[in-house]
Amino acid sequence: VPAIADAWQGVAMSCDAGTTWTSRIAPGHAIHPEPIGTEFAADPRMIAIPGMTIFNFIGGNRDLDSGVLAIQHWLEVNKEDADFYEPGLNTYIADQGTSGRFIDKPDAFFLPELANKQDTITLSTVMENPELGTIVRDFPTGKLFVAFAVFQGNQGENQSVKVLVKDSDDLGKTWQNQVTKLSEDQNFVSGISLTGFGDTLLAVWRRKGDTNDFDSIMYAYTTNRGKKWTKGKVLADICSFDQLSQTTASFVTFRTNDFPWATTDGKNFYVFYSDRNFDGLGDCTGGRPRIVMKYESNLANLGATLATAIDDSDDGDPSTTDDAGGSFQFMPAATGANGKVQIAWYDTRREGLPGGPAFVADYFDPGSGAQINRRVDVFTARVISDSNGNNVQISTPVRVSQF
């Protein structure tokens, strides 16, 4: 953002089912009336509840570990000539970094009270738009959870990486003093994802491997609304698909990391991630990554379930583009409700390339003397189950991107 000379969160909204969009910068930046005191913002998440959207992100400074875990309330404002949601003036701080304590990769989830315990909480919000003044509104009761990674100490062998969870009873305005630690080790941790229903909340994240540990998808859960959590344990050891942003004389790549995504359809919990060798038949270094899932209604059994590929179709002809074949599949995102889950991911199947490097890059092909510009699309599929959460079926993937 030129006005603040750094990156900040942008928010886009559509009032006509995605046909047209408006966008703006989120509050809290350096020249905002109520700045949060950081140079940049990153890693956004949004949660929609009746009457409000909760916006969660990190703010930080380029040369310092100190940063914040921020929460904003964007209230639903039914004005015919304006956006449906407008932000409050102030940003709430869920946690704060210090020198040698860096906060990264958060996620947030709202777990409403059960129907027989549901009540309302009244919140007063000073709006950023002075024409709206202060809005007093009732919202459903429940717990707002945030999970995040904390990097403690100097980078290297002595650095400790923790996965922490906090909760709030007033939608993020104030936070409980108690912080729950789900894991702690020296491996790099990132990509935390939360989901839940009823009294149960599931957290999943990626633990990067080293000489002592595999690359792994980790998980922990609570069945009593955060009063007690299981300790983090391995959901699956994976052959990850990671690549850096690089430019060389022969190829150009973009940065991506193998992060998991968790969701629920109200019956089962689902975890999606990318794996080069999910069935043990592939190549852990050069294998084509597939989006796979694990699902279970009883989280105690989640780690024991077998991974299922969303689409591993292959007609044996590397030039065809209507099957997964030699494509790369990565960066899943999913949402679910009422026995249905919609999963989306990036996919290169439309290229029909018979060879090429074991990563997604624009590259020079010496054999043909041509510059190969890679093509990446967004694909989606639906996962459905019966009324008991059984007989899980995966639909045929559909390309949704238009480029």
Side-chain angles (χ1 to χ4, degrees), residues 9-26 46 74 77 79-87:
Q9 299 301 332
V11 178
M13 284 177 279
S14 173
C15 298
D16 53 13
T19 301
T20 60
W21 292 82
T22 60
S23 62
R24 55 155 294 170
I25 299 173
M46 271 193 164
W74 290 60
V77 181
K79 294 176 63 178
E80 292 183 1
D81 60 345
D83 295 328
F84 281 158
Y85 291 90
E86 294 207 27

Side-chain angles (χ1 to χ4, degrees), residues 279-323:
D279 57 3
L281 303 176
D283 180 345
C284 202
T285 302
R288 295 309 195 243
R290 292 288 178 261
I291 300 299
V292 300
M293 70 176 183
K294 287 195 171 192
Y295 65 92
E296 179 60 64
S297 60
N298 182 355
L299 289 177
N301 300 327
L302 184 61
T305 59
L306 295 177
T308 302
I310 298 300
D311 182 23
D312 193 30
S313 59
D314 189 353
D315 63 7
D317 183 352
S319 66
T320 58
T321 61
D322 58 354
D323 63 347

Side-chain angles (χ1 to χ4, degrees), residues 111-269:
L111 200 62
E113 290 285 0
L114 297 179
N116 60 350
K117 299 180 180 179
Q118 188 61 254
D119 203 347
T120 59
I121 180 173
T122 302
L123 299 182
S124 177
T125 305
V126 178
M127 301 300 290
E128 180 193 59
N129 181 351
E131 294 181 3
L132 298 173
T134 298
I135 295 178
V136 179
R137 184 173 294 170
D138 290 339
F139 299 96
T141 53
K143 279 190 178 293
L144 178 65
F145 292 87
V146 291
F148 52 100
V150 171
F151 296 79
Q152 198 107 24
N154 297 322
Q155 187 172 0
E157 292 184 359
N158 295 323
Q159 187 176 57
S160 169
V161 185
K162 302 176 183 178
V163 176
L164 304 178
V165 178
K166 300 182 75 170
D167 63 80
S168 168
D169 291 321
D170 56 7
L171 301 177
K173 293 189 74 171
T174 61
W175 293 85
Q176 304 292 337
N177 292 327
Q178 180 179 356
V179 180
T180 300
K181 181 174 68 177
L182 303 184
S183 73
E184 180 178 7
D185 54 42
Q186 293 182 344
N187 297 67
F188 184 80
V189 167
S190 57
I192 300 168
S193 180
L194 294 175
T195 192
F197 70 91
D199 288 330
T200 301
L201 190 72
L202 169 67
V204 298
W205 63 93
R206 161 82 180 282
R207 183 187 68 186
K208 194 171 179 63
D210 57 17
T211 56
N212 298 314
D213 297 298
F214 289 105
D215 266 314
S216 301
I217 305 299
M218 308 292 291
Y219 78 111
Y221 63 92
T222 173
T223 58
N224 54 14
R225 308 181 71 82
K227 294 178 182 177
K228 184 177 181 180
W229 285 79
T230 64
K231 290 299 182 184
K233 56 184 178 181
V234 174
L235 174 70
D237 292 326
I238 64 171
C239 294
S240 60
F241 176 64
D242 298 331
Q243 64 178 36
L244 298 174
S245 176
Q246 298 184 72
T247 300
T248 72
S250 56
F251 64 83
V252 178
T253 65
F254 61 90
R255 178 189 173 198
T256 184
N257 288 293
D258 198 341
F259 295 155
W261 196 287
T263 192
T264 176
D265 61 1
K267 300 178 178 67
N268 291 314
F269 290 90

